[in-house]
Amino acid sequence: MIKRLSLASRLALLFAACTAVVSLLAGVLFNRASEAHFIELDQQLLDSKLIALRSTLQGVDTPQLFTQREAQLRAELNRQPDLALRISAAGQRWFDGAPGVTLPEHPGLHRLQSAGTDYRVYNAPLIPGQPNSPQLSLMLDITHHQHFLQRMQHLIWLTVGLSALATALLGAWAARSGLRPLRRMGEVAAGVSAHSLTQRLPQQQMPAELAELAEAFNAMLGRLDDAFQRLSAFSADIAHELRTPLSNLLTHTQVILTQPRPLEDYREALHSNLEELQWMAQLVNDMLYLAKADHGLLVPTREPLVLADEVDALLEFFALLADDAQVGLVRKGTASITGDRGMLRRALSNLLDNALRFTPPGGEVRVSIEDGVRLSVENTGEGIPAALLPKLFDRFYRADPARHEGSSEHAGLGLAITQSIVRAHGGRIYCESGVEWTRFVIELPKGH
């Protein structure tokens, strides 16, 4: 299996490739510019020599006249050792400074290579504008120019290779240094376990591009830590809640079976065990209910409801309990919504049950309904500290630190179930409390 390249290696190769391409393009452009510069210099030199040769051979249009000027011509050519000349007219060569070399016949500037020597050939008439004028072919030896260009090409390739290698090495170092925060994130992620969810990435030391990712990563660790703590507390609470009724069942049954007893004792023991079993069944049902809510399986039905009628029915149900506790029940306001009657009654029943339990004799429980829809259940009595308000809807949480283990009435799930029901209806619930009052507020979106 082929090993995949690391991100640092990929960046290093990318830097090297980019540098090589840029260096190569720059080298090619410089090479062509140098070649064009040499062509321009050769053109200027050949133009100046053409003017001098025309001046030397002025008026020469026959071989006889050329013979008279040949000595002057050779003297002129001796001044430029790397310049050769060929003169042709009517298919005859009057003068040939490069015998054996085949020259192009078209006028203008040409490049020619012969016997390992590079020439710049310039064809022009001796007498401009005359159709039968002898033709001059000037051959400039440019071998040294070509050697220079070849050396420069070799230098370009060498520069491209060395720059690519240097860039690859520097790029690898830079990429490795730049990716150090990512490696740190990997180390933190590798070290995350159920016992080490408190680690966090230092956002201040992160580059701007990774700061947002580090913030999201830290937020994820925070959520995991919170979820794990809740799960651990939930498991402990489940064990705590079930331990007492199970212990009661075992102890009671063992005591009853230690010796023969009257039938009435067995009936009483079974009745007591039944109460404990009913409590455990209710606890399991409540937990299943919350589990369905957590997985989005709690889907309320939609039917038109008049909240005032629903609240009045519940207040009538709690009336006897309120009379015994010497607590007044008041409802004001009304509103119409669409929702699940059973679920909403269960939520309101939990709130009213809590309010009655914590309202002292002579106090009052008020249910207010506002069209909008906002429903609040407020009771007089000792307030709840502000630090405890966010925890009220946690499962098995009791504001009273004295735990009533195995209480078949209050397991600390009522408010959690109420919150799940309100959320299933698209609303929210929160608690407000003062010195002598506490208020639970349910807000449902319009249209519900």
Side-chain angles (χ1 to χ4, degrees), residues 8-9 11-13 15-16 165-177:
S9 300
L11 288 175
L13 291 177
F15 292 156
L165 177 61
T167 304
L169 296 176
L170 292 174
W173 173 82
R176 186 173 179 80
S177 300

Side-chain angles (χ1 to χ4, degrees), residues 69-130:
R69 303 278 184 89
E70 185 174 357
Q72 297 180 13
L73 176 63
R74 291 184 179 278
E76 180 65 29
L77 292 175
N78 288 335
R79 297 177 183 176
Q80 189 74 31
D82 54 354
L83 182 67
L85 176 66
R86 178 179 292 179
I87 303 177
S88 303
Q92 296 181 354
R93 293 184 179 177
W94 293 1
F95 184 83
D96 193 353
V101 178
T102 303
L103 301 179
E105 298 179 356
H106 300 290
L109 195 66
H110 307 277
R111 180 186 168 188
L112 176 67
Q113 187 175 36
S114 178
T117 303
D118 291 310
Y119 295 98
R120 192 81 68 193
V121 180
Y122 189 32
N123 294 328
L126 175 60
I127 304 173
Q130 183 175 331

Side-chain angles (χ1 to χ4, degrees), residues 107-164:
L109 195 66
H110 307 277
R111 180 186 168 188
L112 176 67
Q113 187 175 36
S114 178
T117 303
D118 291 310
Y119 295 98
R120 192 81 68 193
V121 180
Y122 189 32
N123 294 328
L126 175 60
I127 304 173
Q130 183 175 331
N132 298 325
S133 169
Q135 296 295 315
L136 302 179
S137 296
L138 286 76
M139 295 174 289
L140 180 64
D141 187 351
I142 59 170
T143 303
H144 60 290
H145 292 174
Q146 295 307 115
H147 288 171
F148 172 79
L149 291 175
Q150 290 176 1
R151 288 194 301 270
M152 189 170 65
Q153 289 176 352
H154 294 159
L155 181 61
I156 289 173
W157 284 112
L158 180 61
T159 302
V160 169
L162 291 178
S163 60

Side-chain angles (χ1 to χ4, degrees), residues 209-229:
E209 295 80 2
L210 295 179
E212 185 175 351
L213 178 60
E215 182 179 359
F217 187 79
N218 287 340
M220 179 195 69
L221 289 179
R223 291 192 298 271
L224 286 176
D225 187 23
D226 182 65
F228 182 77
Q229 295 298 332

Side-chain angles (χ1 to χ4, degrees), residues 13 57 113 171 201 280 367 374:
L13 291 177
L57 300 176
Q113 187 175 36
L201 290 173
M280 294 173 63
V367 181
R374 185 176 186 269

Side-chain angles (χ1 to χ4, degrees), residues 7 94 125 152 202 213 216 225 234 245 266 268 299 442:
L7 185 58
W94 293 1
M152 189 170 65
L213 178 60
D225 187 23
F234 174 69
Y266 286 114
E268 185 179 348
V299 182
I442 295 177

Side-chain angles (χ1 to χ4, degrees), residues 171-202:
W173 173 82
R176 186 173 179 80
S177 300
L179 295 176
R180 189 177 293 113
L182 283 179
R183 290 198 300 275
R184 173 59 179 157
M185 293 180 71
E187 292 171 359
V188 172
V192 171
S193 67
H195 305 289
S196 61
L197 289 173
T198 57
Q199 296 189 56
R200 296 293 184 270
L201 290 173

